[in-house]
Amino acid sequence: MSTAIATITVLGGAAGLCWMGATAGAVFIERESLAEVRQALNGSGYDWVQVQTDGLQVRLSGTAPTEVERFRAMTQAGTAVDGNRILDEMTVAAADALTPPDFKIELLRNDDGISLIGLVPASMDRGALLRELRGETAAPKITDLLEGADHPVPPLWDEAIRLGLGATQLAQRAKISISPGAVHVTALADSAREKARMESDLRRAAPAGVALSTDISAPRPVIAPFTLRFLIDDDGARFDACSADDEEGRDRILAAAIQAGVPGKPGCTLGLGAPTPVWADAAVPAIEAVAALGRGSVTISDADIALIAPDGIAQDRFDQVARQLDEALPDVFSLHAELEKPAAVDQGPAEFMATRTADGKVSIRGGLSDARMLDAVDSFARSRFFGVESELRSDVEVPAGWTVKVIAALEALSGLENGAVTVTPGNLRLSGTSGDPRAVDQAAAVLSQRLGAGSKYELSIRYDRRLDATLGLPDGEECVSRLNVVMSESEIGFEPNRSTIAGDPSETLDKLAAIMIDCADFQIEAGGHTDSQGSAGFNADLSRARAQTLVSAMTDAGIDTRHMTSRGYGESQPIATNDTEEGREANRRIEFRLMSPIAVRSEPLPAPAVREGVTTEALAQTAAPEGATAPAEAWQAASGVVARPGATDAPVAFGPVLPLPLIGTAGHVAPGSAGVAPATLGVSEQVEAGMAGGLAGALPILDILEENLTLPVLVADENTPRPARRPAENEAAENGAAGNGAEEDPEAGAEAQ
């Protein structure tokens, strides 16, 4: 018994010790697991989780804000203990009514096709949307990348979808963002006209309640001449005109203007036609020069710069600013700087100015001695230029010989394509552009011929090869005509209902390339046209895609198409009936159209040819016969010219060489006068004795009052030289003016008879 009791006692003690050890180990494990899990959860912000341990088990309880948070809490606890030991007893808070997601479609379109990206309601018929896109556009590929969400269709969603689909048909290259009740269109138009048409069509198509916003860009306009005018006067600093060739240059120009005192946010037009890529390098220092003077103006027309400062600016200060500006200008620009001086009281504002634009029109302003001189200059201008805007006025205090100088200036200006001439008592300044490389020589010869010796002049004329008639370069209309002839005679075509070129277009492209060598500087539109088969939207899109395909093929063939755009007209402009196959085939075509008659310069104009000097005698004096130096009768007998009654000393006659002889009173050739230019009836002016030679050759002068000489009158016949290209609309007015003049001056008419 004692042995049994001892054995039981020992075994009981051992069991007790084991139980105590196991209990202590379980408590340790529970405590350590609890500490580690709590630390992991609290450190991650999950303090809402309640942790309990039961031996090896870890119970997680509490209310999770969302199902996602519950899952994240479980994951975080698993980083502290084995995930198999975790018991999830957590609950999730009741969710409020779910907010519908932001439904939106990004519709991207380019030459490769249309892509749809975004989130749409699951109940929306996406198949119908794709079918409508395929039926109303000629996109080569439509890619559906849309995702759906099981939520109700929001208000104004369907209306926005319809407007977005309509916008897709209008633009070949666009990004259209569609959201409930709003559509934003970002697109690239082929021209400014196309941009305006797209904006107008979108505004008309926008349903009530749908907000439409657009950001449509178009190619820059051609600006000719490329002009900037900046001035500071009593009204402050401002632009009268501002042109820039790129965004960086525009920003620099506007920054200089704001620094000079222009208030607010001034504007500056981005355009094509800058005479040089460094336009801003001239515009900025020109603006700074006016700002440095404090008053005045600067005008940049192509590559000619005129800096004008009003009277009151110190001469040394003006000279310093003008010198600094001249040094800062790029080589292609030429500067004319002038400090205005008060007009002399005894002579009045003796100044004449004429400006000719590229379209052949001219504006003239200034003072002339009397009404007859005004009529003479106005008539001469209308005989040389296509259209005349006259602001001439009477001024009896102009210097002697003024009309001669004015007419000589107009004749020199008529030899330029565009430009300006300014006449002052001491100088004649002519600048502009010509297609004649010897234009400076020609202008100097004209001035010497008309003015005689001793007249000061300044010439600054640029040569533009595009205007050179000897090169035979086509104008814009001729370029378009040649391109359309090639298209009408070519076999180039497209696959049915597609914009893919069918067959080999290389022969046609070669012909187009030969034409574009001399025509790449013009803005030309390639317009696509279709027949009436198919929907209007599909045809408009197909015609645009085909026109773009042709332009792309020309580019790939090495043709310069920088200034060529494309547009689709669809079925809107048929040239034949759509009731026959022949008519429909004629309507399926691509036509070229000239966007602007002004060529875009692809390279800067050369520096102007500059000449300053004094005219020389154009023709030696025609000597009077020997022995007839004083008596008028003897000189008349030798020359056949009638002197004014009472005249005693007859001056010699000389002037420019003309192919016709001088006609005497009886219609006979005056001896020794075969090269002297005739005068014109009905006009007179008093001149200085030294101007007599030039006056004899400067039309139109009749009476030389100071010299008491009556110049002979040439009777017009079929061989009489006429001014070139006299406008038809002016001939009737000129004839009427001539008739009126004869009636108003019967004495002169009788003398002429």
Side-chain angles (χ1 to χ4, degrees), residues 23-235:
T23 300
V27 171
F28 175 79
I29 293 174
E30 289 176 355
R31 187 171 56 249
E32 290 297 320
S33 297
L34 179 64
E36 292 177 358
V37 171
R38 281 181 174 174
Q39 182 179 1
L41 292 173
N42 293 339
S44 300
Y46 300 108
D47 50 1
W48 51 266
V49 180
Q50 299 173 9
V51 184
Q52 294 177 343
T53 57
D54 184 8
L56 295 178
Q57 292 182 338
V58 178
R59 288 185 173 89
L60 302 182
S61 61
T63 303
T66 64
E67 182 65 28
V68 174
E69 292 297 305
R70 183 197 67 78
F71 177 77
R72 290 177 177 173
M74 283 284 296
T75 303
Q76 190 64 29
T79 62
V81 298
D82 187 355
N84 295 326
R85 296 168 53 191
I86 300 175
L87 296 179
D88 182 10
E89 296 179 354
M90 294 180 291
T91 59
V92 179
D96 296 333
L98 293 178
T99 303
D102 294 331
F103 291 121
K104 187 175 183 180
I105 296 178
E106 294 285 352
L107 208 156
L108 309 177
R109 174 149 199 202
N110 54 31
D111 297 338
D112 297 329
I114 300 174
S115 298
L116 294 90
I117 305 171
L119 181 66
V120 299
S123 59
M124 177 179 171
D125 190 349
R126 292 162 56 182
L129 175 63
L130 298 179
R131 286 193 299 273
E132 187 171 357
L133 281 174
R134 293 190 180 96
E136 292 298 326
T137 69
K141 183 180 179 181
I142 297 178
T143 304
D144 180 10
L145 301 176
L146 297 174
E147 296 181 359
D150 190 12
H151 288 272
V153 176
L156 297 176
W157 173 254
D158 293 335
E159 292 82 353
I161 290 290
R162 286 197 297 272
L163 179 59
L165 293 180
T168 308
Q169 300 173 20
L170 294 176
Q172 180 80 9
R173 296 170 294 278
K175 174 186 176 183
I176 301 155
S177 301
I178 305 172
S179 57
V183 175
H184 179 75
V185 179
T186 304
L188 178 63
D190 295 329
S191 63
R193 182 182 302 176
E194 180 75 4
K195 172 186 176 181
R197 184 185 67 85
M198 291 172 60
E199 292 174 339
S200 177
D201 291 347
L202 287 171
R203 285 193 297 268
R204 286 197 300 267
V210 176
L212 170 67
S213 59
T214 60
D215 183 11
I216 303 175
S217 58
R220 300 171 186 170
V222 178
I223 302 174
F226 214 74
T227 305
L228 183 146
R229 175 172 167 77
F230 178 79
L231 68 159
I232 300 178
D233 56 14
D234 293 337
D235 296 329

Side-chain angles (χ1 to χ4, degrees), residues 400-486:
W402 185 251
T403 303
V404 178
K405 211 168 186 179
V406 166
I407 290 179
L410 289 175
E411 185 169 358
L413 180 63
S414 68
L416 305 184
E417 184 69 18
N418 59 76
V421 63
T422 302
V423 181
T424 58
N427 196 15
L428 187 153
R429 185 168 56 253
L430 174 68
S431 62
T433 305
S434 172
D436 186 352
R438 300 184 302 108
V440 170
D441 297 333
Q442 297 287 356
V446 167
L447 296 178
S448 294
Q449 187 180 48
R450 293 307 184 196
L451 300 179
S455 295
K456 183 181 178 182
Y457 62 83
E458 297 177 12
L459 307 177
S460 176
I461 303 176
R462 300 178 186 277
Y463 169 70
D464 187 350
R465 65 180 299 273
R466 173 59 67 179
L467 307 176
D468 195 340
T470 62
L471 299 180
L473 298 177
D475 59 15
E477 293 291 348
E478 186 177 355
C479 288
V480 168
S481 177
R482 293 180 183 180
L483 293 173
N484 285 328
V485 168
V486 170

Side-chain angles (χ1 to χ4, degrees), residues 271-475:
L272 303 174
T276 172
V278 292
W279 171 264
D281 292 346
V284 170
I287 294 173
E288 293 173 346
V290 178
L293 293 173
R295 295 180 66 85
S297 67
V298 64
T299 303
I300 310 178
S301 179
D302 284 338
D304 298 314
I305 301 180
L307 176 65
I308 309 297
D311 179 43
I313 302 293
Q315 183 68 53
D316 56 349
R317 176 60 177 163
F318 177 77
D319 293 341
Q320 178 185 6
V321 171
R323 182 173 59 257
Q324 292 174 348
L325 174 58
D326 191 41
E327 293 173 352
L329 292 176
D331 293 338
V332 71
F333 289 90
S334 60
L335 174 65
H336 166 68
E338 180 178 344
L339 178 60
E340 294 179 345
K341 297 296 183 182
V345 177
D346 59 342
Q347 200 171 55
E351 184 179 55
F352 174 85
M353 298 184 65
T355 304
R356 184 180 189 182
T357 57
D359 57 4
K361 296 181 180 179
V362 67
S363 62
I364 55 177
R365 63 183 179 90
L368 293 167
S369 59
D370 55 38
R372 289 193 297 174
M373 293 301 103
L374 261 67
D375 291 341
V377 171
D378 185 79
S379 298
F380 183 85
R382 296 183 187 280
S383 71
R384 290 300 178 99
F385 303 102
F386 176 75
V388 177
E389 295 180 2
S390 177
E391 297 182 13
L392 298 176
R393 67 182 188 280
S394 295
D395 184 357
V396 297
E397 297 186 358
V398 297
W402 185 251
T403 303
V404 178
K405 211 168 186 179
V406 166
I407 290 179
L410 289 175
E411 185 169 358
L413 180 63
S414 68
L416 305 184
E417 184 69 18
N418 59 76
V421 63
T422 302
V423 181
T424 58
N427 196 15
L428 187 153
R429 185 168 56 253
L430 174 68
S431 62
T433 305
S434 172
D436 186 352
R438 300 184 302 108
V440 170
D441 297 333
Q442 297 287 356
V446 167
L447 296 178
S448 294
Q449 187 180 48
R450 293 307 184 196
L451 300 179
S455 295
K456 183 181 178 182
Y457 62 83
E458 297 177 12
L459 307 177
S460 176
I461 303 176
R462 300 178 186 277
Y463 169 70
D464 187 350
R465 65 180 299 273
R466 173 59 67 179
L467 307 176
D468 195 340
T470 62
L471 299 180
L473 298 177
D475 59 15

Side-chain angles (χ1 to χ4, degrees), residues 481-750:
S481 177
R482 293 180 183 180
L483 293 173
N484 285 328
V485 168
V486 170
M487 292 302 299
S488 65
E489 296 175 348
S490 70
E491 298 297 330
I492 192 171
F494 296 89
E495 296 180 2
N497 295 327
R498 299 185 63 185
S499 59
T500 304
I501 295 178
D504 184 8
S506 57
E507 182 178 354
T508 300
L509 293 176
D510 290 342
K511 295 179 181 179
L512 295 176
I515 297 172
M516 289 297 292
I517 290 176
D518 295 327
C519 298
D521 292 340
F522 289 101
Q523 281 191 313
I524 298 175
E525 175 193 88
H529 302 265
T530 67
D531 57 31
S532 61
Q533 293 180 324
S535 68
F538 179 85
N539 288 334
D541 198 65
L542 178 63
S543 62
R544 181 172 56 244
R546 287 179 171 178
Q548 180 59 42
T549 297
L550 177 62
V551 175
S552 298
M554 294 173 65
T555 304
D556 295 340
I559 301 175
D560 186 354
T561 59
R562 287 175 297 169
H563 305 303
M564 184 172 289
T565 60
S566 59
R567 180 180 175 184
Y569 292 89
E571 60 189 67
S572 63
Q573 298 183 7
I575 59 174
T577 179
N578 281 303
D579 297 333
T580 64
E581 179 57 35
E582 292 78 9
R584 289 191 292 269
E585 182 178 356
N587 290 332
R588 295 190 295 267
R589 69 197 188 279
I590 292 181
E591 288 182 348
F592 292 96
R593 184 170 69 92
L594 184 65
M595 304 298 293
S596 171
I598 303 172
V600 180
R601 295 191 182 97
S602 56
E603 57 185 18
L605 285 175
V610 179
R611 178 178 298 182
E612 297 183 10
V614 179
T615 57
T616 57
E617 194 63 66
L619 182 67
Q621 294 184 358
T622 303
E626 184 177 355
T629 56
E633 294 80 2
W635 181 79
Q636 173 188 349
S639 63
V641 177
V642 179
R644 181 181 296 275
T648 56
D649 296 323
V652 295
F654 51 87
V657 178
L658 291 180
L660 297 179
L662 190 65
I663 307 299
T665 55
H668 301 293
V669 176
S673 63
V676 181
T680 301
L681 176 65
V683 182
S684 65
E685 183 175 7
Q686 182 175 352
V687 298
E688 297 173 351
M691 294 290 293
L695 189 60
L699 299 179
I701 306 299
L702 178 64
D703 297 340
I704 307 177
L705 302 181
E706 254 185 18
E707 300 293 345
N708 292 324
L709 172 68
T710 300
L711 293 181
V713 177
L714 178 64
V715 180
D717 57 23
E718 64 275 6
N719 297 320
T720 302
R722 299 284 184 180
R725 301 178 62 181
R726 185 184 184 93
E729 61 268 25
N730 293 332
E731 291 187 4
E734 290 295 328
N735 292 335
N740 294 336
E743 293 177 1
E744 293 172 1
D745 195 359
E747 183 177 339

